[in-house]
Amino acid sequence: MATVLRRLSLKAIRNLSPQHSGFTYPLSTPDPSRFLVKSIRSLAFRHPYSQSMCSLANHEASIDAALNLDDRVPATIITGFLGSGKTTLLNHILTAQHGKRIAVIENEFGEVDIDGSLVASHSSANEDIIMVNNGCLCCTVRGELVTMLLELVKKKRDKFDQIVIETTGLAKPGPVIETFCTDEQISRYVKLDGVVTLVDCKHAMQHLNEVKPRFVVNEAVEQVAYADRIILNKIDLVSDADLEALTKKIQHINGMAQMKQAKFGIVDMDFVLGVGGYDLDRSIIFVSYIYLAFWLCRIDSEVPSDGSHCENHTHQHGHECHQAHHDHKHDSAVSSVSIVSEGTLDLDELDDWLERLVEEKGEDLYRMKGVLSVIDSEARYVFQGVHSTLDGCPGKPWDPEEKRVNKLVFIGRNLDESALRKGFKGCLV
Ligand SMILES: Nc1nc2c(ncn2[C@@H]2O[C@H](COP(=O)(O)OP(=O)(O)OP(=O)(O)O)[C@@H](O)[C@H]2O)c(=O)[nH]1
């Protein structure tokens, strides 16, 4: 069925664009994305097959939604590039007064779980934080997402009111969204409420403009393009002029999403929960998904690049996804190095090493984070880095019986693993 829908959708989109392989819109249209979504929605409504394309479960769900009988669990996807503030927002959601019990699915790019402990320390319901490490929900561990969602809703449905999924900073949101629209089991129990994208105002322009090799998709652009809500985070780190330029750039990519500026992800809860971004017939969602893929081709062609376009819609980050219509690789130059080691660190040595590191490699070091055991401290030391921005503070105290294990993750371009391990060793007392 999905294939039929896909073909019809592609045809519909092609009909909108008689002049070239991208698509055109009336010159008088102030916002092309709005026009296209409207057109595609009306096409989907009018299409005789649109009602028969979805599964029975989806039909029932749509009718229930219309009658306000929809008791499926709403799920929110939090996405955004590495270090943009996703975990910070998640902690805000977990501690804010909204009366909702939240189950969290955390997806980390490195094989070491750092965010899990940082999130768990804020949550009162630790057992409902599920970690998925070392793979992207958009590809390698997508199956796990389905399994975990089903387990949550089937075994613990009475324990929470909302699911929040934090993707890795290198995830493509499209395939994750598609899981909610196309998996019959998931759509029976869970409804996608919205996609919230965090934007790091200090570094976003660099990533949005990044030149990618041919067929490699820019994840930062995709994360903005698929958003229902965009949080322009870290406004404390940029000038008004930079903020204005970034806002324009983002509006150009996605003119539909509501946008809010924030520091440390502080926004009203109704901006991120209860968005209702997908309270439409599933077929329309799927059509919109296809539309977005096409819209992204158009954006990609406008983002400075070496001529790449989306014939094959492929991106890389060291592993590949072989789903029918979103084959993609993530950028193979981007990888992670995880260090797990016992021992105590000299904080001064550590500071010196990290400062030297970001001075030399800051441009390529997208993200660093760690939970460390430092000398003369009963508490964990938590350090965070995004390019050359470094931050460190005491975290939760170690339990007296607990083995003090240092965990660090570096994510970036062309990482020198042996140099990183050597640098770390040099800080041990
Ligand atoms: N100055 C400033 N720092 C911020 C703000 N929001 C978050 N940070 C810091 O940015 C760093 C990264 O924040 P996280 O919330 O861990 O980012 P993330 O998107 O979850 O990171 P990954 O999961 O690694 O992709 C942390 O040191 C935060 O304290 C902000 O508004 N201003």
Side-chain angles (χ1 to χ4, degrees):
M1 240 3 133
T3 317
V4 176
L5 174 58
R6 207 173 299 134
R7 264 193 235 119
L8 287 167
S9 311
L10 296 178
K11 208 170 152 205
I13 290 165
R14 261 188 234 118
N15 288 343
L16 283 171
S17 56
Q19 284 158 14
H20 55 77
S21 60
F23 33 65
T24 55
Y25 48 90
L27 287 176
S28 56
T29 306
D31 180 347
S33 59
R34 240 176 254 277
F35 167 76
L36 281 159
V37 164
K38 244 175 107 179
S39 308
I40 287 162
R41 278 185 185 160
S42 62
L43 268 171
F45 273 122
R46 270 181 307 183
H47 203 287
Y49 299 115
S50 69
Q51 292 304 307
S52 60
M53 281 170 197
C54 292
S55 66
L56 189 59
N58 287 341
H59 264 303
E60 286 165 1
S62 308
I63 294 163
D64 284 353
L67 297 172
N68 220 2
L69 298 172
D70 190 350
D71 64 349
R72 291 174 300 158
V73 194
T76 301
I77 298 171
I78 299 180
T79 186
F81 204 71
L82 292 160
S84 53
K86 298 179 292 296
T87 308
T88 307
L89 170 69
L90 184 56
N91 282 329
H92 176 46
I93 293 172
L94 292 175
T95 49
Q97 300 296 318
H98 45 61
K100 289 192 169 86
R101 295 162 305 160
I102 312 262
V104 175
I105 296 177
E106 268 274 345
N107 182 208
E108 284 240 61
F109 183 66
E111 66 242 39
V112 178
D113 154 28
I114 305 283
D115 283 354
S117 53
L118 301 181
V119 172
S121 66
H122 284 75
S123 169
S124 55
N126 291 1
E127 74 277 9
D128 287 333
I129 295 174
I130 302 167
M131 294 300 309
V132 198
N133 291 345
N134 206 19
C136 260
L137 285 182
C138 70
C139 40
T140 47
V141 291
R142 195 171 163 205
E144 281 181 44
L145 173 66
V146 173
T147 311
M148 282 179 311
L149 282 169
L150 289 177
E151 209 171 295
L152 265 178
V153 290
K154 287 183 177 171
K155 294 195 182 148
K156 296 184 167 184
R157 176 62 189 93
D158 55 334
K159 291 204 165 67
F160 58 89
D161 312 301
Q162 171 104 27
I163 299 170
V164 175
I165 299 162
E166 181 188 339
T167 71
T168 75
L170 290 171
K172 275 181 70 171
V176 186
I177 295 168
E178 193 193 340
T179 301
F180 290 90
C181 304
T182 57
D183 189 288
E184 201 164 310
Q185 286 263 60
I186 296 292
S187 59
R188 185 183 291 269
Y189 296 106
V190 187
K191 67 170 173 187
L192 183 57
D193 180 42
V195 178
V196 178
T197 299
L198 271 292
V199 171
D200 172 347
C201 290
K202 189 171 161 67
H203 302 106
M205 200 58 112
Q206 175 190 336
H207 295 297
L208 292 171
N209 284 335
E210 196 172 324
V211 176
K212 293 280 185 182
R214 190 172 167 82
F215 301 137
V216 173
V217 164
N218 184 321
E219 292 100 344
V221 172
E222 297 232 344
Q223 291 161 354
V224 167
Y226 280 97
D228 298 297
R229 299 281 191 269
I230 295 172
I231 300 178
L232 294 171
N233 196 33
K234 305 195 184 184
I235 55 167
D236 53 312
L237 300 181
V238 290
S239 66
D240 289 349
D242 286 348
L243 188 56
E244 197 184 325
L246 181 64
T247 306
K248 277 195 185 136
K249 172 94 190 168
I250 286 173
Q251 274 168 344
H252 179 69
I253 297 170
N254 182 344
M256 296 284 289
Q258 285 185 35
M259 234 189 274
K260 263 204 165 57
Q261 300 176 359
K263 293 177 194 165
F264 292 92
I266 304 291
V267 289
D268 291 342
M269 280 303 101
D270 55 9
F271 187 70
V272 287
L273 303 180
V275 167
Y278 290 78
D279 284 351
L280 287 166
D281 187 293
R282 305 276 110 181
S283 58
I284 299 167
I285 294 166
F286 203 88
V287 174
S288 300
Y289 173 80
I290 299 293
Y291 143 74
L292 257 169
F294 272 74
W295 179 239
L296 280 165
C297 298
R298 194 172 178 278
I299 293 160
D300 281 351
S301 69
E302 288 171 16
V303 172
S305 74
D306 59 351
S308 63
H309 54 99
C310 97
E311 275 166 7
N312 199 18
H313 203 57
T314 305
H315 75 154
Q316 310 180 342
H317 72 182
H319 50 276
E320 296 179 32
C321 171
H322 295 291
Q323 305 292 325
H325 66 293
H326 54 76
D327 281 6
H328 65 276
K329 289 188 226 151
H330 296 276
D331 192 337
S332 56
V334 177
S335 63
S336 72
V337 172
S338 304
I339 299 174
V340 180
S341 164
E342 284 182 44
T344 308
L345 293 155
D346 180 316
L347 198 48
D348 290 333
E349 291 285 344
L350 182 79
D351 278 349
D352 286 352
W353 172 52
L354 291 175
E355 270 171 31
R356 272 199 316 275
L357 194 64
V358 297
E359 216 175 284
E360 289 165 18
K361 309 257 182 217
E363 183 88 352
D364 283 345
L365 267 173
Y366 294 170
R367 190 79 173 100
M368 290 161 282
K369 49 191 169 182
V371 177
L372 308 171
S373 166
V374 296
I375 198 163
D376 295 332
S377 172
E378 291 310 307
R380 292 163 169 80
Y381 183 77
V382 179
F383 96 91
Q384 302 262 10
V386 182
H387 290 284
S388 43
T389 312
L390 275 174
D391 197 13
C393 63
K396 261 199 328 193
W398 297 99
D399 288 336
E401 316 288 285
E402 195 176 2
K403 205 182 262 180
R404 298 188 182 195
V405 179
N406 300 287
K407 292 180 182 177
L408 292 88
V409 175
F410 297 85
I411 304 170
R413 184 172 286 281
N414 306 320
L415 296 180
D416 182 343
E417 180 168 355
S418 58
L420 289 170
R421 292 192 184 281
K422 197 169 157 203
F424 169 79
K425 269 195 185 149
C427 304
L428 287 169
V429 288

